[in-house]
């Protein structure tokens, strides 16, 4: 099964596009917030450390600190918290488990350069947090050491650690945005897609069914305008089809009347052989006229649809043909029903049986059930057809035998009529060669529900 990342429906595409854009926007927002928080952390912890280092350097240069065991410590305020500031001629030793912070060291170095301190080296460490101090002192304690004029100045500072809170905030913000934006978009898209689905179903319907009930004009203004145009277009099609039916009725009546009159006159011909030939020609013209009118009217919706039991239908047709001396049998017939117009469906099957018995010696009928569809198969034992013949034979007036003599085949309209009837009932007609020889004419129709 091929995976499609981009949805096919309107609602799916809108929701997917908005969700993707929101995700990208939130990713950019997250990156900017993380960067801003990082800069704020550097400014808070690094700025405090730089201020203390500059103050220590100035006081050290003025001699405000007194010597004690090779180190200089601050005045009375420093003696109360001796770990707050350390001045030494040697590198500062930090506690075990301290983690280096190169970003903070670079930030402090830049600030010291801006203050004309010219540090030779700057280092920063994050001290391990004691569990009992985490609740009372949020953040992390850091030690910043700077070497200036050959002396090492180490001060204590704190940096914030609000990464988890920021991530939680962004998660809730993203969910809120998705809820506030995607739900209205889904409602709007559904409101636009619902009438479009109805329009699609109406456009797929056979226009010859004359179902000219106007679609309800709903949805956004663009969709309503489209439905209005479609209703007008379908009304024009229905009017044209009605005019065609009236014209065909008139043509059929006007042609049959002179043919009937001509046959009456032919009956008076004394030459039996000549009379029979003339009568055969008149009957051929009448049969061809009937086929042409049937082809033109095959999609007309004058007959109502009803559930048709196919097993009884094919058995009845086979018995009728056997009574006329035709080799027509029922191979296998499943219990299945379709919603169709019975007379038209019967005519389509008769055309397929006539072709099979004429060109393929005999006809075998079968009914198969497939998911949501039923196949009616008319098989023969003929030589089969080429791919080109299969493609062209369902077109009007196309015949495998090129003459127009009905004794050798007919007018070439039988398959066209059967195809149009099948499509008018929402199905298809296909011709398939069997491996062992012969041809299968398969009419596939939707199952009655």
């Amino acid at each position: 099964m091929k995976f499609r990342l981009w949805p096919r429906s309107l609602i799916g595409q809108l929701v997917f596009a908005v969700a993707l854009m929101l995700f990208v926007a939130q990713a950019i927002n997250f990156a900017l917030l993380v960067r801003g928080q990082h800069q704020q952390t550097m400014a808070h912890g690094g700025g405090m450390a730089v201020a203390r280092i500059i103050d220590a350097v100035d006081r050290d240069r003025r001699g405000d600190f007194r010597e004690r065991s090779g180190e200089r410590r601050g005045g009375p305020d420093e003696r109360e918290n001796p770990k707050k500031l350390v001045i030494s001629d040697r590198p500062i030793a930090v506690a075990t488990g301290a983690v280096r912070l190169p970003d903070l060291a670079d930030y402090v170095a830049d600030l010291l350069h801006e203050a004309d301190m010219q540090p030779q080296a700057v280092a920063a460490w994050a001290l391990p947090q004691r569990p009992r101090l985490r609740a009372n002192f949020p953040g992390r304690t850091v030690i910043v050491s700077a070497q200036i004029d050959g002396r090492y100045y180490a001060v204590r500072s704190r940096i914030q650690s609000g990464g988890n809170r920021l991530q939680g905030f962004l998660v809730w913000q993203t969910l809120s945005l998705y809820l506030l934006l995607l739900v209205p978009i889904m409602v709007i898209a559904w409101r636009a897609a619902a009438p479009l689905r109805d329009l699609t179903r109406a456009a797929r319907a056979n226009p010859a069914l004359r179902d000219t009930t106007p679609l309800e004009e709903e949805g956004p203004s663009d969709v309503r305008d489209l439905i209005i145009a479609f209703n007008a277009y379908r009304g024009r099609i229905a009017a044209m089809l009605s005019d065609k039916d009236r014209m065909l009725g008139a043509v059929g009546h006007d042609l049959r009347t002179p043919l009937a009159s001509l046959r009456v006159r032919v009956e008076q011909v004394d030459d039996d052989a000549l009379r029979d030939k003339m009568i055969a020609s008149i009957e051929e013209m009448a049969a061809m006229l009937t086929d042409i009118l049937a082809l033109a009217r095959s999609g007309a919706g004058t007959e109502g649809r009803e559930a048709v039991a196919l097993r009884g239908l094919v058995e009845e047709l086979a018995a009728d043909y056997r009574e006329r001396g035709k080799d027509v049998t029922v191979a296998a017939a499943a219990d299945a029903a379709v919603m169709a117009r019975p007379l038209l469906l019967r005519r389509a099957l008769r055309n397929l049986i006539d072709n099979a018995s004429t060109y393929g010696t005999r006809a075998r009928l079968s009914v198969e059930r497939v998911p949501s569809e039923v196949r009616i198969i008319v098989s023969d034992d003929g030589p089969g057809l080429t791919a080109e013949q299969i493609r062209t034979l369902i077109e009007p007036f196309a015949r495998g035998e090129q003459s127009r003599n009905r004794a050798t085949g007919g007018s070439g309209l039988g398959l066209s009529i059967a195809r149009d009837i099948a499509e008018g009932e929402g199905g298809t007609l296909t011709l398939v060669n069997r491996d062992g020889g012969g041809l299968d004419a398969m009419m596939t129709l939707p199952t009655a529900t």
Side-chain angles (χ1 to χ4, degrees):
M1 182 177 179
K2 186 177 180 181
F3 176 74
R4 294 179 60 91
L5 180 62
W6 184 252
R8 300 180 63 180
S9 65
L10 174 63
I11 297 178
Q13 290 183 6
L14 283 176
V15 172
F16 182 82
V18 173
L20 181 62
M21 292 302 101
L22 280 177
F23 178 80
V24 173
Q26 285 299 96
I28 296 174
N29 185 32
F30 177 76
L32 293 177
L33 287 176
V34 169
R35 181 179 179 182
Q37 186 186 42
H38 179 73
Q39 293 177 345
Q40 182 180 4
T41 300
M42 294 295 102
H44 181 268
M48 183 184 302
V50 168
R52 290 178 176 176
I53 291 174
I54 293 176
D55 180 66
V57 171
D58 290 341
R59 295 170 65 184
D60 185 39
R61 290 174 177 175
R62 293 196 304 266
D64 293 344
F65 299 132
R66 59 186 178 85
E67 290 283 349
R68 178 183 294 180
S69 300
E71 293 184 355
R72 288 185 179 271
R73 300 190 183 275
D77 59 327
E78 301 294 345
R79 283 193 293 270
E80 294 176 1
N81 187 11
K83 292 185 180 180
K84 192 173 183 180
L85 170 65
V86 176
I87 304 175
S88 174
D89 295 329
R90 298 183 301 274
I92 305 300
V94 296
T96 304
V99 179
R100 281 187 174 273
L101 301 176
D103 292 343
L104 180 60
D106 294 339
Y107 183 82
V108 171
D110 292 338
L111 292 181
L112 290 175
H113 280 291
E114 292 178 2
D116 294 330
M117 286 295 165
Q118 304 303 323
Q120 287 79 43
V122 178
W125 298 270
L127 299 180
Q129 182 80 354
R130 296 180 182 178
R132 63 184 180 84
L133 297 179
R134 289 177 182 175
N136 299 327
F137 300 96
R140 303 186 66 181
T141 302
V142 296
I143 299 296
V144 179
S145 172
Q147 182 184 9
I148 302 175
D149 297 335
R151 294 176 66 80
Y152 291 89
Y153 299 86
V155 297
R156 182 185 292 258
S157 182
R158 297 192 68 81
I159 58 174
Q160 299 176 351
S161 57
N164 294 332
R165 296 179 58 188
L166 176 62
Q167 293 176 5
F169 168 75
L170 285 175
V171 169
W172 283 110
Q173 183 188 56
T174 303
L175 293 177
S176 300
L177 287 176
Y178 272 100
L179 183 64
L180 293 175
L181 292 179
L182 290 184
V183 172
I185 288 176
M186 291 178 64
V187 173
I188 295 173
W190 179 86
R191 184 170 176 265
L196 287 178
R197 286 192 294 268
D198 295 338
L199 182 62
T200 301
R201 286 192 293 267
R204 288 175 177 172
N206 188 357
L209 299 180
R210 320 298 168 85
D211 182 15
T212 57
T213 303
L215 292 177
E216 184 178 356
E217 300 168 5
E218 57 183 354
S221 60
D222 297 338
V223 178
R224 289 199 302 269
D225 293 341
L226 178 61
I227 295 176
I228 293 172
F230 175 80
N231 287 334
Y233 181 70
R234 190 165 62 169
R236 290 194 296 270
I237 292 177
M240 292 172 60
L241 292 175
S242 298
D243 293 342
K244 182 204 71 171
D245 289 343
R246 287 193 295 269
M247 180 191 69
L248 291 174
V251 170
H253 178 271
D254 293 343
L255 288 180
R256 284 194 176 94
T257 300
L259 284 175
S261 177
L262 181 60
R263 175 157 186 170
V264 171
R265 292 186 175 88
V266 168
E267 294 287 350
Q268 301 174 6
V269 175
D270 295 332
D271 190 336
D272 293 340
L274 179 60
R275 184 177 64 250
D276 292 342
K277 290 181 180 180
M278 295 174 68
I279 291 175
S281 298
I282 293 174
E283 290 178 349
E284 183 178 352
M285 293 175 61
M288 187 178 297
L289 177 61
T290 299
D291 286 345
I292 294 174
L293 293 177
L295 175 64
R297 292 176 173 173
S298 59
T302 56
E303 183 185 5
R305 279 187 171 86
E306 60 184 67
V308 179
L310 296 180
R311 172 185 280 185
L313 176 61
V314 297
E315 290 178 348
E316 181 182 347
L317 288 174
D320 183 44
Y321 274 91
R322 285 196 298 271
E323 290 178 359
R324 291 186 286 163
K326 300 287 187 179
D327 188 359
V328 179
T329 59
V330 178
D335 287 326
V338 295
M339 289 299 296
R341 290 166 287 186
L343 294 180
L344 285 180
L345 180 58
R346 188 182 295 266
R347 180 176 183 85
L349 293 178
R350 284 186 180 276
N351 288 350
L352 298 179
I353 295 171
D354 288 338
N355 276 352
S357 60
T358 300
Y359 297 105
T361 308
R362 64 173 182 166
R364 294 188 305 278
L365 310 181
S366 58
V367 178
E368 297 179 356
R369 294 179 64 97
V370 293
S372 72
E373 292 180 336
V374 179
R375 291 176 183 165
I376 309 172
I377 305 174
V378 180
S379 306
D380 63 44
D381 293 335
L385 298 172
T386 65
E388 180 65 18
Q389 287 175 324
I390 291 177
R391 186 182 65 84
T392 59
L393 278 180
I394 59 175
E395 299 300 325
F397 302 104
R399 300 178 66 248
E401 195 277 320
Q402 295 302 320
S403 73
R404 293 292 174 183
N405 188 351
R406 293 191 68 86
T408 60
S411 60
L413 295 174
L415 288 177
S416 296
I417 294 172
R419 179 199 62 181
D420 289 350
I421 292 175
E423 292 179 353
E425 303 304 321
T428 59
L429 175 65
T430 55
L431 305 178
V432 180
N433 287 313
R434 291 198 311 277
D435 295 336
L439 184 74
D440 287 345
M442 292 188 297
M443 181 182 293
T444 303
L445 298 173
T447 304
T449 56

